[in-house]
Amino acid sequence: TILPLFMMYIPVGLATSLPIFEIKTGRIANFTAASLAIYPFLEPLIPMMCIKEFKNVLLCRRSRKVASRTTFSTPVSGIQSSSAIL
């Protein structure tokens, strides 16, 4: 996805390759540390906002579906009393 590319790979790649070409990495190094720290928080939010059920829970939306009633009953005629015969 695009998020790991911009939050991990490009900043780390620039922070490690720019000093080879004698380019200072002052602010880039700060962004690299910050983006690596924020990435684990942002990664799960993307699927949560893309999957409809997760998004409804996050935004406190209630579904308007009417729940069907299900009743369970047991037949009474099948009950037998047990008695001990000695």
Side-chain angles (χ1 to χ4, degrees):
T1 63
I2 292 178
L3 186 67
L5 182 69
F6 287 107
M7 296 294 290
M8 290 191 328
Y9 301 128
I10 291 176
V12 171
L14 289 175
T16 56
S17 64
L18 289 178
I20 294 172
F21 301 109
E22 297 180 6
I23 299 173
K24 294 182 181 181
T25 60
R27 291 184 184 243
I28 294 173
N30 292 338
F31 177 75
T32 301
S35 67
L36 288 175
I38 293 173
Y39 176 76
F41 170 74
L42 293 178
E43 181 65 23
L45 291 179
I46 293 173
M48 286 182 190
M49 294 308 287
C50 291
I51 299 172
K52 184 178 180 180
E53 289 81 15
F54 288 156
K55 184 167 62 172
N56 289 340
V57 170
L58 286 176
L59 300 175
C60 298
R61 294 181 187 167
R62 293 184 183 186
S63 64
R64 298 181 184 214
K65 295 179 183 177
V66 176
S68 63
R69 293 185 180 185
T70 306
T71 59
F72 297 100
S73 63
T74 57
V76 179
S77 63
I79 299 175
Q80 297 177 354
S81 64
S82 63
S83 61
I85 301 175
L86 296 174

